[in-house]
Amino acid sequence: MNKKRFILSLLFIVFVIASLLIGVSSELTLKSLLSGNKEAYNVLFRSRMPRTLAIILSASSLSIAGLIMQSLSRNKFISPQTAGTNDAAAFGVLISFIFLGSIPSYYRLIFSFVFALISSLLFIFILNKIKFKNIIYVPLIGLMYGGLLSAVTRLIAYETNTLQLLSSLNLGTFSHINVLNGSMLLILVPVLLIAIIFAEGFNVASLGEEFATNLGVNYKKVLFLGLIVTSLIAASTYLVVGPLPFLGLIIPNIVSMYYGDNLKKNIIDIALLGSIFVLANDIISRLVIFPFELSVGFTMGITGAIIFILLIFKQVKNND
């Protein structure tokens, strides 16, 4: 293990412990755990552990999804947020509710995933038709595309009196996570394994279709697999947690600044840094107005925007 990964691992452990111990309940303390207090272990296993596990799974998954999308699009400012994937996932959930009513969450996930995948395929198709692929203009097109999807979704929600459903999905919070509703995120475990297994293929695909084909990689197959992975991650995290701003955008960029662009080598570090970033923001959200808490999406919107602006200035400076 190199020094940087060792430091990330230590920080990850520290923030995981802090996430488990910080909360409204005074029953859960390190002392009560060591003394075998039953109420403390009840709070730990029913509330704190599911929440922390949900943070780790969603944060690492979205960070890796951003890395895959940036590799496949060959643009550092592409992510599920800037490519309209999250907006398409919300559209899918709305359509499932309108036509099927209150169905189990796993059925909603299917709708959300299908719409996110179709949207991702459409965005890649649009991207391939653009001749002038400036590193800044491409994500701007993605944001406009996502904005159009969001506007259509809100219009349909307004006409069908389902705006409350969208409001509940757009919170971006882990406060409601428990053993039952957090279990759907376990689908991310095999998805993450697939991403790690095919990391080399995604890495080669980032070099372009012609180069990848010359190296014996089926570019279209790898591209489609990458879009399936990112769409499933975006759909499941959006459905359970809501939007987590800037996560898939800034984390891959920060890691690539220090480790280079090798996807296979960076994927573990990106998962660790993404988890640390969300854990830190979640802890801040819990402490700012304690015993109440802010939405982690709100906190990440502020910290993520600051980091994103710095990354843009750095990119523009490097181009000059």
Side-chain angles (χ1 to χ4, degrees), residues 15 27 36 61 63 69 80 88 117 143 170 172 197 230 251 300 303:
F15 278 107
E27 295 289 340
S61 299
S63 300
M69 290 197 78
L117 179 58
L143 288 171
N170 284 321
I197 292 169
T230 54
I251 298 301
M300 287 177 63
T303 57

Side-chain angles (χ1 to χ4, degrees), residues 119-164:
S119 173
S120 298
L121 288 168
L122 182 58
F123 179 73
I124 292 296
F125 175 78
I126 295 171
L127 204 60
N128 289 333
K129 294 295 181 182
I130 300 173
K131 294 182 180 179
F132 185 60
K133 297 182 180 180
N134 182 279
I135 193 169
I136 301 297
Y137 292 161
V138 170
L140 287 178
I141 292 170
L143 288 171
M144 288 188 289
Y145 172 65
L148 178 62
L149 284 173
S150 179
V152 172
T153 302
R154 288 193 171 275
L155 175 62
I156 294 174
Y158 178 78
E159 292 295 332
T160 55
N161 198 28
T162 52
L163 280 172
Q164 188 174 357

Side-chain angles (χ1 to χ4, degrees), residues 177-198:
I177 297 294
N178 54 42
V179 175
L180 294 177
N181 59 25
S183 62
M184 189 161 53
L185 287 176
L186 292 176
I187 196 173
L188 295 175
V189 175
V191 176
L192 284 173
L193 290 175
I194 292 171
I196 293 170
I197 292 169
F198 288 92

Side-chain angles (χ1 to χ4, degrees), residues 90-124:
F91 191 31
V93 175
L94 178 66
I95 294 299
S96 69
F97 184 80
I98 291 172
F99 287 99
L100 300 176
S102 299
I103 56 175
S105 296
Y106 283 99
Y107 291 106
R108 286 191 184 183
L109 175 60
I110 294 171
F111 273 82
S112 183
F113 163 67
V114 170
F115 274 76
L117 179 58
I118 293 172
S119 173
S120 298
L121 288 168
L122 182 58
F123 179 73
I124 292 296

